[in-house]
Amino acid sequence: MVRLAALAGLVWACAAVSAGAACRLALVLALDVSSSVDEMEYRLQRAGLAAALNAPDVRHAVLQGGQGHVALAAYEWSGRYRQRVLLDWRALHGPHDIDLAVAALARGEREERMHPTAMGYGLGYAATLLERAPDCARRVIDVSGDGVNNDGFGPRLAYKHFPLGGVTVNGLVILGHDPEVEAFYRREVIRGRNAFVEVARGFQDFETAMTRKLYRELSDIMLGALPDTTPPGQRYALVSRYSESDPSSSVRPGAGPR
């Protein structure tokens, strides 16, 4: 009887370890590097993404934002068949893993310069990355860009024909080049549970906006719907930091497939 109890305890402990080691989020970062993005803007985008992932609040959200770890991948996209992996799937179990991901995102030279904005193809590429992603409880695509789709099929057909069921797509809009970009992202791009659009007021604001966006994605925050059990101080900090700091940021819970 004692042996059976000990065995049961061992099985329970192993199950607990396994559950704790599970992946809670597979996050794909997709950066627009089409012809509307000049060399300085490209550098601001790459450096801003690396700095956002390295921000203390974001690092804490990666490591302490829930049960299980985060898996991260990143790529650039522009024309129909112009996609390039910047960071292949990496499990972020600890600070060193984040350091390696930050270094990978910060280094490297631009390869694409003169191609249009083929977002449908870009989203299709994200689907191929997710097909070989770790088995995670949530799957999120984080798309950033400064323009609307102008080459090939758009997001709606991508969602119809690629295996993106159950995937949340969030958008980071970079204002300045295209007056229609924010409306396009809200209407055509975001989808899925708690999907939202974050707004950067130009590439100089990219790092700050990406930091807010990553924090919300990693923590699975839906502004205005924090649970009653959230401590008042934490509730105020979250809402004030990620809502009042940028009133243009919005959440669209339950934005389903089109």
Side-chain angles (χ1 to χ4, degrees):
M1 194 71 173
V2 174
R3 289 183 179 179
L4 287 175
L7 180 60
L10 180 61
V11 170
W12 181 88
C14 290
V17 169
S18 177
C23 179
R24 76 175 191 267
L25 171 64
L27 178 60
V28 181
L29 307 176
L31 301 182
D32 176 6
V33 295
S34 57
S35 58
S36 62
V37 179
D38 66 25
E39 295 306 308
M40 179 176 291
E41 292 167 344
Y42 176 81
R43 290 194 294 273
L44 286 170
Q45 191 171 218
R46 285 289 297 272
L49 177 58
L53 181 61
N54 200 36
D57 283 349
V58 173
R59 293 179 71 103
H60 184 270
V62 169
L63 300 178
Q64 305 295 330
Q67 293 293 323
H69 67 273
V70 172
L72 184 67
Y75 69 98
E76 297 175 339
W77 61 276
S78 56
R80 296 189 182 197
Y81 304 106
R82 300 291 178 174
Q83 300 91 25
R84 179 172 69 122
V85 172
L86 303 175
L87 176 71
D88 212 342
W89 286 110
R90 181 180 296 276
L92 305 181
H93 291 289
H96 182 62
D97 298 317
I98 301 176
D99 293 341
L100 293 175
V102 168
L105 294 173
R107 66 173 178 261
E109 297 297 322
R110 182 177 188 174
E111 292 186 1
E112 305 297 339
R113 289 176 173 81
M114 299 304 294
H115 296 284
T117 304
M119 185 178 289
Y121 286 81
L123 288 168
Y125 189 79
T128 67
L129 281 179
L130 286 170
E131 284 182 337
R132 57 183 183 81
D135 184 14
C136 302
R138 294 170 55 222
R139 298 187 299 162
V140 175
I141 302 172
D142 178 331
V143 183
S144 60
D146 69 341
V148 303
N149 187 80
N150 59 21
D151 186 34
F153 59 87
R156 290 187 179 185
L157 283 178
Y159 296 145
K160 182 177 180 180
H161 294 291
F162 286 97
L164 290 168
V167 177
T168 294
V169 182
N170 297 323
L172 194 161
V173 169
I174 306 165
L175 301 181
H177 286 300
D178 190 331
E180 301 298 323
V181 62
E182 184 176 354
F184 171 75
Y185 268 69
R186 295 189 189 281
R187 182 182 67 248
E188 304 282 346
V189 179
I190 64 172
R191 76 191 299 264
R193 175 180 173 272
N194 293 353
F196 66 93
V197 170
E198 190 66 66
V199 176
R201 301 191 178 282
F203 281 88
Q204 295 285 353
D205 188 39
F206 183 86
E207 177 184 335
T208 300
M210 179 58 78
T211 302
R212 288 194 302 267
K213 190 165 187 285
L214 287 176
Y215 187 91
R216 287 173 61 177
E217 287 165 334
L218 291 161
S219 305
D220 198 18
I221 294 172
M222 183 172 67
L223 297 184
L226 295 175
D228 293 337
T229 54
T230 303
Q234 183 181 354
R235 176 187 295 268
Y236 174 79
L238 291 174
V239 173
S240 62
R241 184 182 304 166
Y242 297 103
S243 179
E244 294 174 4
S245 61
D246 185 358
S248 62
S249 176
S250 70
V251 177
R252 283 184 55 195
R258 293 156 178 85

